[in-house]
């Protein structure tokens, strides 16, 4: 496995090139993305870059976990061929003059709570797609709005890449894996189980009202940013058919998100 820090050194091998983009602090969710990528790609690139552009002024950029050596071990273990770990100045030699406008989906759900977040995400993802020239890129469904916006960006700008969504990896008790779980106290971690429980119980209902009422009951007492039912592309909720239930809540100073698919009848 090769590790490079500059664009000039970033050269993929022959065949189908896959990329898994990360901000480091790798966990079993990232390993699953790499394993999925490894199944279909000849050459696998992982990127590790804590992107300042997607953090708001009051967010956790400085305290975002940085575990580079352990991250490299995960990449090695999962058969990554090349790790691209640029510095902020390598990625943004000048402040980006042009950034990607996420459009209407960038202002709701996470975008309503984190203004500018998705402009930062889409800008770095487009840059990394262009730098790696990957044929296929893998993203977790855990960040479902991010995945949906990346698909929209690729369609809007005719980016020649396939975007693959990979199901969320969970702890055995249901908690969705996240780099931020490490900030939870034992009490907060226990309370955090309400998110996945709300989604599971909500998804077992069949009408929008019942889904939201059931999920809402499980979240009682938590500091909930949103609980929303939408269609799979995150447009308005359908009356029947496939839908997506999304939740965000704060446990102390830690903000967690989760989502599930479901079927309305
Ligand atoms: O999901 C993430 O870790 C980040 O948002 C991404 C896609 C690597 C862009 O910085």
């Amino acid at each position: 496995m090769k590790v490079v820090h500059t664009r000039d050194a970033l050269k993929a091998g022959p065949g189908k090139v896959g990329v898994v983009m990360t901000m480091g602090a790798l966990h079993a969710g990232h390993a699953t993305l790499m394993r999925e990528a490894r199944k279909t790609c000849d050459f696998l690139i992982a990127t590790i870059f804590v992107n300042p552009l997607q953090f708001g002024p009051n967010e956790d950029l400085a305290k975002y976990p940085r575990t580079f050596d352990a991250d490299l071990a995960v990449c090695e273990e999962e058969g990554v061929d090349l790790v691209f770990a640029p510095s902020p100045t390598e990625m943004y030699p000048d402040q980006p003059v042009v950034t990607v406008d996420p459009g209407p989906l960038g202002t709701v759900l996470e975008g309503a709570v984190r203004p500018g977040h998705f402009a930062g995400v889409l800008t770095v993802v487009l840059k990394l797609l262009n730098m790696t020239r990957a044929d296929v890129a893998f993203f977790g469904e855990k960040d479902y709005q991010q995945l949906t916006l990346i698909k929209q960006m690729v369609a809007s700008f005719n980016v020649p890449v396939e975007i693959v969504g990979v199901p969320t990896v969970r702890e055995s008790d249901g908690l969705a894996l996240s780099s931020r779980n490490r900030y939870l106290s034992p009490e907060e971690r226990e309370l955090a189980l309400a998110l996945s429980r709300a989604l599971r119980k909500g998804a077992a209902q069949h009408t929008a009202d019942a889904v939201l009422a059931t999920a809402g009951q499980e979240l009682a007492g938590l500091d909930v940013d949103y609980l929303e039912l939408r269609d799979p592309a995150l447009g308005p909720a359908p009356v029947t058919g496939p839908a997506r239930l999304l939740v965000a809540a704060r446990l102390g100073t830690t903000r967690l998100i989760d989502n599930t698919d479901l079927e309305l009848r």
Side-chain angles (χ1 to χ4, degrees):
M1 183 177 80
K2 212 167 149 187
V3 182
V4 303
H5 302 282
T6 61
R7 277 164 296 176
D8 295 344
L10 214 179
K11 300 245 177 342
K16 187 170 170 177
V17 177
V19 65
V20 172
M21 297 178 190
T22 80
M23 299 207 299
L26 302 185
H27 50 62
H30 298 107
T32 300
L33 293 178
M34 292 169 186
R35 219 165 295 155
E36 278 307 304
R38 200 64 275 182
K39 283 183 194 164
T40 56
C41 296
D42 301 302
F43 192 89
L44 178 55
I45 303 175
T47 69
I48 300 179
F49 178 62
V50 182
N51 174 34
L53 217 59
Q54 70 189 75
F55 287 80
N58 302 318
E59 292 183 354
D60 53 356
L61 173 61
K63 83 165 201 182
Y64 197 83
R66 286 160 172 90
T67 57
F68 192 63
D69 292 342
D71 295 343
L72 290 186
V74 173
C75 293
E76 181 87 74
E77 175 78 23
E78 297 306 332
V80 169
D81 296 298
L82 179 77
V83 174
F84 179 50
S87 67
T89 46
E90 177 70 17
M91 276 308 276
Y92 301 118
D94 311 301
Q95 282 303 308
V97 182
V98 178
T99 55
V100 178
D101 179 351
L105 181 53
T107 63
V108 298
L109 299 164
E110 286 302 288
V113 186
R114 308 181 68 188
H117 171 66
F118 287 120
V121 169
L122 294 183
T123 299
V124 81
V125 169
L126 186 58
K127 283 170 72 78
L128 290 170
L129 289 174
N130 286 333
M131 289 174 182
T132 59
R133 298 163 186 263
D135 300 299
V136 49
F138 298 79
F139 295 92
E141 288 186 351
K142 159 78 172 27
D143 294 302
Y144 191 79
Q145 188 177 8
Q146 165 174 289
L147 169 64
T148 307
L149 278 164
I150 291 168
K151 286 180 181 166
Q152 288 188 355
M153 171 178 75
V154 160
S156 295
F157 295 151
N158 308 90
V159 185
V161 67
E162 181 193 350
I163 302 298
V164 175
V166 178
T168 302
V169 179
R170 296 178 182 282
E171 304 277 9
S172 56
D173 60 8
L175 185 69
L177 294 197
S178 162
S179 307
R180 293 189 169 98
N181 290 352
R182 69 186 70 197
Y183 300 137
L184 299 170
S185 68
E187 296 75 28
E188 288 168 347
R189 197 198 171 288
E190 195 60 33
L191 289 171
L193 293 177
L195 274 77
S196 53
R197 200 167 53 235
L199 295 176
R200 203 171 53 245
K201 292 195 175 176
Q205 308 302 312
H206 301 306
T207 65
D209 286 352
V211 169
L212 289 170
T214 303
Q217 270 168 22
E218 294 299 324
L219 298 167
L222 285 196
D223 184 3
V224 177
D225 273 341
Y226 59 78
L227 171 68
E228 286 197 34
L229 189 59
R230 292 184 167 249
D231 78 9
L234 299 182
V239 176
T240 58
R244 203 90 199 174
L245 181 62
L246 305 101
V247 65
R250 289 166 207 267
L251 286 304
T253 54
T254 308
R255 198 168 166 279
L256 297 181
I257 60 173
D258 201 352
N259 69 87
T260 187
D261 59 350
L262 60 97
E263 189 79 20
L264 297 171
R265 293 191 224 129

